[in-house]
Amino acid sequence: MMGWWSSKPMLEVRVAETGETFACATGESLLQSMMRRGANCIPVGCTQGGCGVCRIRILEGEIALLGPVSRARVSVEDEVAGCTLACRVAPTTALVVEVLGRPVRTDANPT
């Protein structure tokens, strides 16, 4: 299936902890691209910038913001340190990221 992203430059995103990589189009969120490719190296939550589950740190490379990021999840200080939400950023260069977010438990009996 072809989409708008098929005509955009593709950039490599590598997850530092696991070495997993996926291609992401410029202008497409890291999280959306990862999900579209069937990868699961970054936890997925609300996909709208509010929950913080997809929190990452940019270790190498540059990003563009696609929308607002909840300050309850990423403070200005965090942002200066390279932290952001994968659902709200797109790559402008190849990236190396560190995953900071953790999946939210959905069962009724957390341990």
Side-chain angles (χ1 to χ4, degrees):
M1 179 167 93
M2 300 292 282
W4 67 266
W5 62 84
S6 62
S7 64
K8 299 280 189 173
M10 301 299 279
L11 299 167
E12 181 178 88
V13 179
R14 181 170 57 88
V15 176
E17 299 91 329
T18 64
E20 291 177 84
T21 63
F22 61 94
C24 185
T26 57
E28 181 179 24
S29 82
L30 298 179
L31 198 65
Q32 189 65 33
S33 180
M34 180 205 71
M35 292 187 312
R36 187 169 44 76
R37 288 170 169 49
N40 62 359
C41 46
I42 300 171
V44 178
C46 73
T47 72
Q48 300 298 312
C51 73
V53 170
C54 65
R55 186 176 153 107
I56 58 172
R57 178 176 292 121
I58 307 299
L59 300 177
E60 295 177 24
E62 301 293 324
I63 56 169
L65 290 175
L66 298 175
V69 174
S70 169
R71 287 295 174 212
R73 304 297 177 218
V74 180
S75 69
V76 171
E77 294 82 13
D78 291 338
E79 194 170 351
V80 168
C83 296
T84 191
L85 301 177
C87 65
R88 298 317 245 177
V89 296
T92 58
T93 67
L95 297 176
V96 177
V97 302
E98 174 187 8
V99 176
L100 303 174
R102 298 290 172 247
V104 176
R105 290 189 64 126
T106 57
D107 62 340
N109 298 311
T111 55

